[in-house]
Amino acid sequence: MGRLFAIEIIYRGIFQKTLATRISRAIVIAAHHEGKMGISFGRYGDSPERNGIPAKNFAIVATDEQTLEEGMAKYEPKEVDVTLCVDDTLCKGVESWAWYGLQPVNKLLKPGGTLIVTSREGPEAIIAMAHRKETPYQLSILKGTVSFSGLWVYKDDHTDVRLLGAIAKVLPDLFSLQSVQKAIIDEWKDELKATSAAKSYERTSSITVQPNQGNPEVPYKFDLPKWHEMGEGIAIPSIPAGHKMDDPTSHAQGGFQPDRNPTFKKFSTRTMRPVVNFDTCIKCTLCWLQCPDSCFDVTPEGLYDANMQACCGCGVCEAVCPVKECVTMVNETEFKDNSSQWEDWRKDKDGYKVWLQEKIKSHPERSHGFRYRGQYEEQIPEMLEIASEK
Amino acid sequence: MAVATVIEEQKHNIEETALITGSEAIAVACKLADVDVITAYPIRPYDTVMQYVCKLVANGEMDCEYIVAEGEHSQFEIVKHASACGARVFCGSSGVGWMYAMEALTVTPALRIPMIAMVGNRALDDPGAFGVEHNDALAVRDLGWQLVWVDNVQEALDTALIAYRVAEDRRIFLPCAISCDGAFLTHSQAMVKIPSQEKVNEFLPPYDRGDLLLHPDNPITVAPQGNEDWVMEIRRQNYAAMERAYGVIKEAYADFERIFGRSYGNPFFEEYMTDDADIVLLGMGTLSISVKVAIRQMRKEGKRVGFVRMRWFRPFAAEELAKSLQRFAAIGVIDRDYSFGSPYLGGVLAGEVRHALYPGPGKKPPVVDFICGLGGREVTVPDVQKMAESVYKAADGKAQPLTQWIGLRE
Ligand code: SF4
Ligand code: SF4
């Protein structure tokens, strides 16, 4: 019996779709240079075509045709040798369909498999974000910012080939660096990219993550109903409009809280989240009006608290808020939970002020696209620095 | 994937190898066939083909009239007219998009238009679902469309070329829809051999509409009112064309093998491990992969199971299929479709297989029908093993439910 390899690429819809496709293609082509055969495909659904939504690409490779067919006789691989995660905020989890809930980024990794993450964070931060796994796995960090390489005007930043070089290092049975370089020449006819792959190959190292390390939360589980338990006519219960808010301290009723879908939480769709300064808010209602996901609870005293189970991190509230630094988008990697900012503020207003000032330092450089004209040029020196780091 | 066997590699005409999806393969076939007019309207999974064609045109690799219509009905109407004017045409759709074009689909075969369409098989709404089901393409099964199913990327490319050759044959002049399972084929990339232009030109003569050409120099009126004095004879002509298609398809595959060196064996259906089989399963499309993997496992346990994968559904090679199926003690048909309220409440394919077996002189093995894989649900290896178990019981004379839902939460 031959050997089967599976690699998944976890990425964000639209922005990183081209990048993910380039990587999974090149994996198959590199393996082809070693006499292996394979297929490359994306998760079939809406996620690749939706801004920022966690999506997946796969490459399946085998040493012979019959083994490849065994790998193909499934909708998606049930286990993988390597998981590539090209946006570190996705280490908090992946949720492609509403009813999947938040699923661990390392869920499909075989025991001893490697999670490769592109990030500027250190291993501690990445491990803390990822759910615990029953078996040890390897973690390898490829230094870099979140890449949009290949999307419209975004320049080729070599993230694709650097990841390919890293795969050759952590999974040498799949293919050698030489085969990766041949595939790069086939696909892009670019010597410089081949050199980038080699550099990344040299630099790649990994550490072991033990079962007691990581986010201890138990991932969301679900059972789908049997056909005769389901209602007929494709009609499902809807979400009621909402109700008055209950002040947790005084129990006064007031404001407005929309009801939310209890099984559809948008934790991992965002790369950044708003932080609200309740002391400077002028209660203009704009954030509440413009938020596409009805995230804001109107508190009994008329403040606006963004609910972090509903927020998709689009940044509209920041854009419309007329008060300087009243709503600030902050990198998602800065947060460990989804608690209510308003409740935290009410408990300790001075403490909240300090917390807020600390958080808003981590204003995202880029999220769903660059944030202003010329930002790309500004970031080139920083990226060059990453490239020359040892 | 084992279908296309490379028999010989002709040295003077080196084929290129490329990693492409089933949809890209169809687009590449359109380029090689030098299609003149292509119409598009987006619906997943078919839309991947229009994207690739668009790319080929934009990159200057392909020269064709590329029209984005305002809906599927116009999309199919435009190519119908273009074909009447002598243009080689291509279009396609999926699921309810295909159904929205239904009126245009209906009139196309009657006018003897050799349109080639790709159906990226998709479940019919509602509920909105992208996954594969075969009911979309099957909806035109009685209307004069030739229907063919493929199960791998190479076969998609090759079959598109064969489809042009067959459809545009003056003896046929009927449209042909190539069914590609959504996701499994339309969206997954595999290595394929791309035939050289030289060989394609040798295989595929230019489209010649002859006396049926709609052109000022050849004044004709197409589709006048007919009524009861004319309709039956017109239908009989279509019947004859479809009858002839059987032979023309055989010719085309033989020529394909001669020119490209790739053989598909029997054009109408592929047989897998049937030589010594006790029982067989029969199905269409990419579920073949799970079935083959399951068969190899079952054979290790001494169970001699075979598989028949139908390629051409219209024309349906009934006599040939019946002759083959009569060799087995029982047959399990895998339907990735449904036909509510049909005889024994079975799927479309099972009905056709039973029909094919009934008039023949030979024995009539029991046929058990399995409905599975709907809406893109994966057909798993254990699912296939479960089906084979039931077929074995039927072979032993133990009554089995004639229609069974497999892989359903019940
Ligand atoms: S970022 Fe702001 S506007 Fe966007 S979903 Fe979150 S709360 Fe709403
Ligand atoms: S937009 Fe800013 S100022 Fe206006 S209500 Fe929202 S947080 Fe307050």
Side-chain angles (χ1 to χ4, degrees), chain A residues 276-277 280-288 296 302-304 317 320-323 326-327:
Chain A
V276 181
N277 188 342
T280 57
C281 169
I282 56 166
K283 303 184 179 177
C284 74
T285 78
L286 280 177
C287 55
W288 174 75
F296 286 93
L303 288 166
Y304 296 86
C317 49
V320 298
C321 179
V323 182
C326 177
V327 180

Side-chain angles (χ1 to χ4, degrees), chain A residues 270 272-274 287 290-296 306-308 310-318 327 329:
Chain A
R270 61 176 178 262
M272 54 180 186
R273 65 163 79 169
C287 55
Q290 297 295 331
C291 171
D293 284 28
S294 305
C295 294
F296 286 93
N307 182 293
M308 281 307 122
C311 170
C312 67
C314 68
V316 165
C317 49
E318 180 196 54
V327 180
M329 297 309 289

Side-chain angles (χ1 to χ4, degrees), chain B residues 338-346:
Chain B
Y338 47 82
S339 179
F340 301 131
S342 65
Y344 310 110
L345 305 174

